[in-house]
Amino acid sequence: MRKLRQAVHDPGRDHINVHARPPGAGMVDPFGRTVSYLRVSVTDRCDFRCVYCMSEHMSFLPKRDLLTLEELDRVCGVFVAKGVRKLRITGGEPLVRKNIMWLFRALSRHLETGALEELTLTTNGSQLPKYAADLAACGVKRINISLDTLNPDRFRQITRWGDFAQVMDGIAAAEKAGLAVKINTVALKGVNEHEIEDLVCFAHDRGFDLTVIETMPLGDIDGDRTDQFLPLSIVRARLMARWTLEDIPYHTGGPARYVTVKETGGRIGFITPMTHNFCESCNRVRLTCTGTLYMCLGQADAADLRAPLRSSSNDEALSGAIDEAISRKPKGHDFIIDRRSKKPALARHMSVTGG
Ligand code: SAM
């Protein structure tokens, strides 16, 4: 398959050393895990309404509640000084935030100094025709693009508002800009479960990795989650009926476990928060666009960083609040999809904490 060698044998991508930290700096939680990865949701707004993520009529935060881009930059800078090596910008849809390229340009200075190893983002792809080249110019090397189907009608059903052709243009723009693309696919029972092989072929043909994600019970949506949940053990078994999957120790600093498909030479990642607890190696915390820090995607506990951020122009109070938050990072989550109440495990939508 074309471009494969290039994707599989790019040594720069093989080991993102997000655990490396400069001497004297670093955040270690009560379970000895080094926190070196910050995900930042820069907006709760999105131009799509994916059925498993949002209800159709969402109420979004008023602009005045959001951290300004300058404040987001400042918080990120403090995290980098404290040992964060990987920054992922997410949302909502990060590329719909006004003037977002200002933030990428500002953050790219940490790549130039070497303090930051990776600046990346998760996007639905809709704005990439506009921004892919600028992102590459800011030092972004890899991006995650969410894509659950290759069928334009199903794409519209899943995203409610999305335009498949626009996302395909976005993917092409990312390729043209030289960005390494990883496709993220949420496995949805009865919706796209029989398309996963096609998505693998689509990704591997282009030299992309593909990561399959189990749907998590986050946020009230209009439908029933128990209907959507598909354990990845089933997806994996189906893929194994067609291809030879070989476990590999490849890490990108995220929670996925990877295999290589022998026949295509490409990689598939599996993110299994529901059926396999991935917390033991968790190195991440998540900042919302209002300055709330979640130490675990699957727990309600959080720390407010906006008040200490705004209380003073020096970073002492902010730094202290971050240390205090890390000292409360929980051991793990306990998501369950409750079949009786059919309520989400957490009322918070994924668009608040970011994927
Ligand atoms: N708008 C961007 C995008 O579409 O990638 C970034 C934010 S979106 C919330 C990030 C990722 O979370 C997407 O891949 C989306 O499919 C995934 N996601 C959203 N809700 C989810 C849920 N309940 N369970 C699993 N994944 C979810």
Side-chain angles (χ1 to χ4, degrees):
M1 295 199 170
R2 81 189 162 94
K3 289 201 196 159
L4 223 50
R5 298 290 138 224
Q6 172 199 333
V8 175
H9 293 298
D10 178 351
R13 298 175 59 208
D14 271 10
H15 296 285
I16 301 291
N17 188 8
V18 291
H19 297 288
R21 60 192 155 104
M27 296 176 285
V28 179
D29 80 359
F31 304 95
R33 296 169 299 189
T34 299
V35 175
S36 52
Y37 183 179
L38 175 67
R39 296 191 179 209
V40 183
S41 175
V42 293
T43 176
D44 61 334
R45 288 166 199 255
C46 189
D47 49 348
F48 292 3
R49 290 288 178 281
C50 296
V51 290
Y52 52 82
C53 185
M54 291 187 177
S55 61
E56 184 154 18
H57 303 287
M58 296 282 292
S59 36
F60 293 112
L61 294 163
K63 278 206 188 89
R64 63 174 181 277
D65 287 353
L66 304 192
L67 296 190
T68 63
L69 294 174
E70 289 80 359
E71 287 174 327
L72 285 166
D73 175 44
R74 199 176 135 206
V75 183
C76 289
V78 171
F79 270 101
V80 171
K82 294 175 86 62
V84 157
R85 304 282 292 152
K86 175 167 173 172
L87 262 181
R88 177 176 298 281
I89 306 300
T90 177
E93 172 48 43
L95 298 181
V96 301
R97 172 113 192 216
K98 203 170 159 200
N99 212 9
I100 188 64
M101 291 316 298
W102 181 90
L103 183 64
F104 278 98
R105 273 192 291 277
L107 293 173
S108 70
R109 73 186 180 281
H110 302 298
L111 292 171
E112 280 156 24
T113 63
L116 191 64
E117 197 158 328
E118 183 168 28
L119 174 62
T120 183
L121 76 153
T122 302
T123 173
N124 64 26
S126 68
Q127 306 303 311
L128 285 174
K130 195 161 140 198
Y131 289 130
D134 291 345
L135 288 166
C138 290
V140 173
K141 298 243 178 311
R142 309 186 307 153
I143 58 171
N144 289 359
I145 303 179
S146 304
L147 180 69
D148 299 327
T149 178
L150 295 168
N151 175 311
D153 293 333
R154 196 168 299 134
F155 186 85
R156 176 57 68 141
Q157 282 160 17
I158 295 174
T159 63
R160 290 196 185 102
W161 297 2
D163 178 350
F164 182 73
Q166 195 179 335
V167 171
M168 288 299 118
D169 288 349
I171 292 175
E175 281 192 280
K176 191 166 168 228
L179 297 169
V181 174
K182 179 159 78 69
I183 301 290
N184 277 348
T185 301
V186 177
L188 299 163
K189 190 163 139 197
V191 179
N192 66 353
E193 60 180 307
H194 294 294
E195 260 198 84
I196 308 286
E197 290 170 43
D198 292 345
L199 284 154
V200 169
C201 293
F202 172 86
H204 290 185
D205 269 352
R206 289 163 180 76
F208 304 163
D209 291 343
L210 176 98
T211 294
V212 195
I213 306 169
E214 273 174 354
T215 148
M216 291 173 262
L218 291 174
D220 258 321
I221 51 170
D222 299 327
D224 176 355
R225 282 185 196 281
T226 52
D227 287 351
Q228 297 176 347
F229 178 66
L230 177 67
L232 292 196
S233 48
I234 294 181
V235 174
R236 196 179 162 121
R238 286 183 187 153
L239 295 174
M240 283 168 77
R242 171 161 174 189
W243 287 308
T244 315
L245 307 188
E246 292 170 344
D247 288 313
I248 49 166
Y250 173 72
H251 294 292
T252 60
R257 288 162 196 233
Y258 281 89
V259 298
T260 309
V261 179
K262 202 172 165 200
E263 291 80 357
T264 67
R267 280 186 291 247
I268 305 176
F270 295 95
I271 301 188
T272 54
M274 305 302 295
T275 55
H276 186 288
N277 212 297
F278 58 11
C279 306
E280 64 278 4
S281 59
C282 181
N283 57 353
R284 297 172 285 291
V285 289
R286 297 165 194 265
L287 182 75
T288 72
C289 54
T290 55
T292 302
L293 188 73
Y294 284 94
M295 288 72 83
C296 171
L297 178 63
Q299 299 277 1
D301 188 28
D304 173 39
L305 300 186
R306 188 172 57 182
L309 173 78
R310 290 183 176 170
S311 70
S312 151
S313 58
N314 85 42
D315 294 333
E316 219 169 287
L318 177 58
S319 177
I322 294 172
D323 289 341
E324 199 278 326
I326 301 297
S327 76
R328 286 194 278 129
K329 184 168 161 62
K331 192 167 180 194
H333 67 248
D334 27 46
F335 287 135
I336 35 164
I337 292 184
D338 187 333
R339 286 179 200 281
R340 279 158 308 165
S341 76
K342 300 197 167 161
K343 284 276 173 223
L346 284 174
R348 197 173 74 231
H349 286 93
M350 188 77 152
S351 52
V352 173
T353 24

